[in-house]
Amino acid sequence: MPIAHAPLTLPAGMRSTRASQAVLALFATQPDAVYSEADVERSLQAQGLHVNRVTVYRLLNKLHAAGLLQRSVDAERIARYMRAPAEGGAAVPRFECDGCHQQIRLAGHQDRLQSALRALRQELQAAGHEALQLELAVRGRCAGCAQPSA
Ligand SMILES: [Zn+2]
């Protein structure tokens, strides 16, 4: 079962501009992608939209504050953004490579993985904990760094 994502529409109070629409479209068309500010800026530039760093950060942070994007900071202190799961939806495990620091969002389509995450949530809920936000990160070396010749 694919991950249910939070619907991707401009949150109230956020102005609809070409830049904000382009950022939304980027995450809408690549629902499993993880982007840094620089990635987003590059993508907008490729579409002929020249938006400065501060504006891109502001857009990403607003979408993060509105709960549409998740943010994570890697070992190099680079913030990366990805679509947030729908409320109560499954956590999306991430894998970060210690070599090249790319982040890979695990598709999480495997039933066994999803039921393991559900079991973890249920155990915490049974203990009385609430408003749980699971965030799982796995670190290691990606296939490209592990076998550079491949
Ligand atoms: Zn790597």
Side-chain angles (χ1 to χ4, degrees), residues 95-102 140-146:
F95 170 70
E96 180 186 340
C97 176
D98 284 331
C100 62
H101 295 289
Q102 71 164 323
R141 276 198 304 159
C142 75
C145 289

Side-chain angles (χ1 to χ4, degrees), residues 1-5 32 85-86 90-92 105-109 114:
M1 203 181 73
I3 304 154
H5 290 107
D32 291 324
V92 181
R105 180 168 164 150
L106 303 182
H109 296 171
Q114 288 305 324

Side-chain angles (χ1 to χ4, degrees), residues 19 23 36-42 44-45 49-62 76-79 81:
V23 171
S36 67
E37 182 280 334
D39 297 332
V40 173
E41 201 180 316
R42 255 195 308 277
L44 296 189
Q45 262 166 24
L49 274 171
H50 295 276
V51 183
N52 67 36
R53 228 175 121 77
V54 174
T55 305
V56 175
Y57 266 121
R58 202 173 284 149
L59 284 171
L60 290 170
N61 286 333
K62 276 185 184 164
E76 306 271 272
R77 315 298 304 158
I78 295 173
Y81 299 81

